[in-house]
Structure formats: C-alpha cells, structure tokens
Amino acid sequence: MNYFDLEKCFSIKIFLSSKNTDLNNRGYLNLYFVFFLTLLTSFMFAFAFIHYASQAKDIFRTTCVTKAVDLQKKMIQSEEALFLLNGPSTALRLQLWSIYAALAVTPPPYDFPLLAELEIVQKAQQQLDLTQRKIIQSARLMVTTQYTELILSMNKNHQILNKNWSSYLNIFSMIRSQHLPTFSVRADSIGGTAPNYELGTDYKSQQRVELIWQNWFSVSQVIQKIFNPKDFLNSPVIIRYGLICRIEPERINKKWDLKINVDRF
C-alpha cells in the first residue's frame, strides 16, 4: 500500500468517525428533546390538575358563603317576623284571662257585655293564629324549595365546569345533603290558639344548612397516550377529595350569629 492509499484510508476513517459522532450528537439531542417534552407535558397537566381543582373549590366555597348563607338569613327573618307577633299574642291572652276572671264573678244576664268582648278577643286570636301558621308554612316551604334548588344549581355549575375540562380529565363530581334544614320553631308551654312562639330546643342542628361535595378526577383516555401518571401500584392516578359546607345559626340575647364552616371531610 502506497502513501496515497494510506492517506485515502485515513480520510475515510476520519469521515466515518465524524459521521458517527454527528449521529450520536443527534441521538442525544433527540433524547434531550423527548425528555424536555415529557417534562413540559407533565408540568402542563400538573398545572391543569391544580387549576381545575382550584376552580371547582372556588365555586363550592363561593356558593357556601353566599347562597347557603342567604338561605339561613331568610329562615332567621321569618323567625323574627313570627316572634314579633308574640307581643299581640301575649296581650290577647291577658285579655282573655281577664274576661274569664270577670265572668267567674258576674252572674247572668249581667255577663252579656263580657261575652261579647270574649267573642271579639277569640276572633282576634283566631286571626292571629292564622297569620302565625301562614308564616310557619311559608317559611318551611321556602326552605325545602330553595335548599333543593341550591343543590341542583350547584351541581349544574360543576357540570358546566367539568364539561370545559372533559377533553383533559375524567371527572365525577356530586353535591348532596345528609341533612335537610328545618324551620325550627315551636309553641310555648302555654299553647292554645295564637300562642307565643320560640326556637326549637335543638334549633342549631335542625336549622343548619349543610352541603357535601365529593369529587374524583383523573387524566382522560386520550391524554393518557401523552401523559399517564401512575401510583405505587402502577394504576392510573385518581385524585379524590371532598368538602363540606355548614352554616349554623346561634341566637344570644336576641342577636343572631352565623357560624360558617367550609372544610375537608
């Protein structure tokens, strides 16, 4: 082999070596690109998880401190309207007792004016009793109707949000109740027609407005081809959590206070 053959062979080796190095560099670049793309995708979907969860929680919390509180306030307003009638109720009772006492010592026919007055007082009591019952019936109907509408409305809002994320996430979301709030009042121990009304013995828990939200979500089947997080058992990651909203009233010295609690359960 002469000098020119050696030079040609050496040049070929340098060319092949350079070509292999170039291929290796491209391979590393491709590997880095895939790694970077996977990392970026992971961050994007992790952000999507966090953003969706934040939006869903905000909807639940906002409804809790607005509409659920409004429902509790309406119950309190109805109770206050009912309790304002305790003054007329007491006055009619005293009149009635006074007439009965006078009748006990007034023989016929001198008791005719007293009997006429008795009839007037009894009719006034019946009218007042009717007004009180209307307040109670209207309040109880309002509570049942608006509480049901509240749950339906919240579920609808979450369904709209879930639909916006349906391309990325599989979502199951449900708002329900384990406790139906009650307009908690009762007649006092004297009772009778048009009695005085007071709060029920367990009005705090009976009147409590409570909402329970449960939420599960995971990556959708389409997105799993790109990003498919696994847990320790190599199963798809499913995020589960729940929140509970409680609005509980308390009456101290004729003043109302609402205890608002939104927490995990």
Side-chain angles (χ1 to χ4, degrees), residues 23-39:
L23 289 173
N24 288 337
N25 288 337
R26 289 183 181 179
Y28 283 126
L29 286 174
N30 288 337
L31 183 63
Y32 286 141
F33 178 75
V34 171
F35 174 76
F36 174 77
L37 185 62
T38 303
L39 187 63

Side-chain angles (χ1 to χ4, degrees), residues 13-78:
K13 286 183 179 180
I14 292 175
F15 173 75
L16 292 174
S17 176
S18 175
K19 189 173 183 180
N20 288 336
T21 302
D22 185 52
L23 289 173
N24 288 337
N25 288 337
R26 289 183 181 179
Y28 283 126
L29 286 174
N30 288 337
L31 183 63
Y32 286 141
F33 178 75
V34 171
F35 174 76
F36 174 77
L37 185 62
T38 303
L39 187 63
L40 180 62
T41 305
S42 300
F43 276 121
M44 286 175 60
F45 284 103
F47 175 77
F49 272 40
I50 295 171
H51 190 55
Y52 162 73
S54 176
Q55 282 186 308
K57 289 177 181 178
D58 284 345
I59 289 175
F60 184 77
R61 291 192 180 104
T62 300
T63 305
C64 176
V65 298
T66 54
K67 294 185 178 179
V69 169
D70 286 343
L71 178 55
Q72 190 65 257
K73 287 181 177 179
K74 287 180 180 178
M75 280 191 276
I76 291 173
Q77 289 170 357
S78 295

Side-chain angles (χ1 to χ4, degrees), residues 72 76 79 199 203-205 207 247-259:
Q72 190 65 257
I76 291 173
E79 286 165 345
L199 291 169
Y203 76 93
K204 291 182 185 179
S205 61
Q207 198 163 303
I247 314 296
E248 190 174 273
E250 184 174 16
R251 194 171 194 247
I252 302 175
N253 297 326
K254 296 185 179 182
K255 291 185 178 180
W256 288 94
D257 182 36
L258 295 182
K259 296 181 179 179

Side-chain angles (χ1 to χ4, degrees), residues 183-218:
F183 186 68
S184 182
V185 295
R186 63 176 185 178
D188 63 4
S189 57
I190 298 174
T193 303
N196 278 200
Y197 279 92
E198 58 192 18
L199 291 169
T201 53
D202 195 22
Y203 76 93
K204 291 182 185 179
S205 61
Q206 290 181 352
Q207 198 163 303
R208 182 179 69 241
V209 177
E210 183 176 277
L211 299 165
I212 295 175
W213 175 45
Q214 291 178 299
N215 198 30
W216 299 262
F217 63 94
S218 62

Side-chain angles (χ1 to χ4, degrees), residues 19-237:
K19 189 173 183 180
N20 288 336
T21 302
D22 185 52
L23 289 173
N24 288 337
N25 288 337
R26 289 183 181 179
Y28 283 126
L29 286 174
N30 288 337
L31 183 63
Y32 286 141
F33 178 75
V34 171
F35 174 76
F36 174 77
L37 185 62
T38 303
L39 187 63
L40 180 62
T41 305
S42 300
F43 276 121
M44 286 175 60
F45 284 103
F47 175 77
F49 272 40
I50 295 171
H51 190 55
Y52 162 73
S54 176
Q55 282 186 308
K57 289 177 181 178
D58 284 345
I59 289 175
F60 184 77
R61 291 192 180 104
T62 300
T63 305
C64 176
V65 298
T66 54
K67 294 185 178 179
V69 169
D70 286 343
L71 178 55
Q72 190 65 257
K73 287 181 177 179
K74 287 180 180 178
M75 280 191 276
I76 291 173
Q77 289 170 357
S78 295
E79 286 165 345
E80 289 298 310
L82 183 63
F83 297 158
L84 283 175
L85 299 179
N86 285 344
S89 169
T90 300
L92 289 172
R93 276 179 173 175
L94 292 174
Q95 280 184 270
L96 192 64
W97 293 340
S98 176
I99 294 170
Y100 283 145
L103 284 171
V105 296
T106 305
Y110 304 104
D111 60 353
F112 180 76
L114 291 174
L115 291 174
E117 186 180 355
L118 175 63
E119 185 178 358
I120 293 172
V121 172
Q122 287 176 332
K123 285 183 178 180
Q125 277 190 318
Q126 290 169 1
Q127 186 60 45
L128 179 60
D129 188 76
L130 182 61
T131 302
Q132 291 171 321
R133 290 178 184 274
K134 283 183 177 179
I135 291 174
I136 295 171
Q137 291 170 358
S138 297
R140 287 178 175 164
L141 179 60
M142 178 274 296
V143 172
T144 302
T145 302
Q146 293 197 11
Y147 184 66
T148 303
E149 290 176 350
L150 176 59
I151 293 178
L152 292 175
S153 174
M154 290 182 73
N155 276 307
K156 183 178 179 180
N157 290 338
H158 279 276
Q159 286 173 4
I160 293 172
L161 176 64
N162 297 346
K163 187 176 180 180
N164 294 336
W165 286 91
S166 60
S167 299
Y168 307 97
L169 302 173
N170 292 321
I171 304 171
F172 175 77
S173 179
M174 180 178 65
I175 295 169
R176 59 185 176 84
S177 172
Q178 289 182 328
H179 166 76
L180 180 66
T182 304
F183 186 68
S184 182
V185 295
R186 63 176 185 178
D188 63 4
S189 57
I190 298 174
T193 303
N196 278 200
Y197 279 92
E198 58 192 18
L199 291 169
T201 53
D202 195 22
Y203 76 93
K204 291 182 185 179
S205 61
Q206 290 181 352
Q207 198 163 303
R208 182 179 69 241
V209 177
E210 183 176 277
L211 299 165
I212 295 175
W213 175 45
Q214 291 178 299
N215 198 30
W216 299 262
F217 63 94
S218 62
V219 178
S220 68
Q221 282 76 13
V222 175
I223 301 301
Q224 284 179 12
K225 297 176 182 179
I226 304 172
F227 175 65
N228 189 13
K230 303 286 186 179
D231 60 17
F232 293 110
L233 300 176
N234 202 34
S235 300
V237 171

